[in-house]
Amino acid sequence: MRCRQGPVRIGQLRLRKGLLETVITGANTRTSHAQVVNELGRAIVAGEFPVGTTLPGDAELAIRFKVSRTVLREAMKTLAAKGLVVPRARIGTRVTPRAQWNLFDTDILTWQLVKGVDEAFLLDLSEVRLAFEPHAAILAARYATDADISHMMRLAVAMGDPEHTAETLAMADLKFHLSVLDASRNPFFRTIGSLIEAALVGVFRLSSPARDRSKIDDVAASHIRIVEEIRRRDEEGARRAMENVIRVGRERVVDALGENRRA
């Protein structure tokens, strides 16, 4: 077996505070810069400032947020880096078309989830996951070390804890999927972690298996199967097992949305 070496084992480090934890705990950064970015970003994503419109001027925004123009300018730079706005000389700062937004950005995904998501958004997320995660499982079957496999198996087994709440199961699910991305030894895969988080937030808010205790064992078993295929170095088997997990999650979301429409 070939080994692909990496300088850092991200999967065994503490998870960064991502959008899943933010949605679950309601926590938020409270610096002046973060507050301006968060409030303006949410307003743009929610459509309060439609595409093509010009944001209020610096003087008005500085008064509104009670911040200095220096803080405001830095916040605008952050929003521009996310693709939400573009400054125009003698015109002002305009909201860009959605196609220019960085939808991989954790903040933008968080604001989208706060606004509320429809079936198309969640299905789009699942399609992206299907494009990346099964191949990550293939690479994990090729490159994962024994330590990687033991770590993934512990995480998969932990998903069967009958004491899980919707919140703790979502976090356990996230840790497992990120561990597979790490075991792939491809650092680019780790950047799609925010998309996985967004998909899990959608499931967490709509229909968690933790709300039906009979499904907890099935969830754990399907994730254990992924690790077993990786342990056997069966790349095709690992791909199929990962695809199955994502498709089942997608079906659960579709069913939950259908029930909400009928309610």
Side-chain angles (χ1 to χ4, degrees), residues 11 36 50 66 97 120 123 134 142 165 185-186 220 250 258:
V36 175
K66 298 181 175 60
L123 291 181
R142 190 178 306 169
T165 64
R185 291 298 186 272
N186 186 320
R250 180 172 66 179

Side-chain angles (χ1 to χ4, degrees), residues 98 118-129 250:
R98 192 171 185 273
D118 56 15
E119 182 173 336
F121 180 85
L122 292 173
L123 291 181
D124 285 345
L125 283 176
S126 70
E127 292 297 334
V128 174
R129 292 186 68 190
R250 180 172 66 179

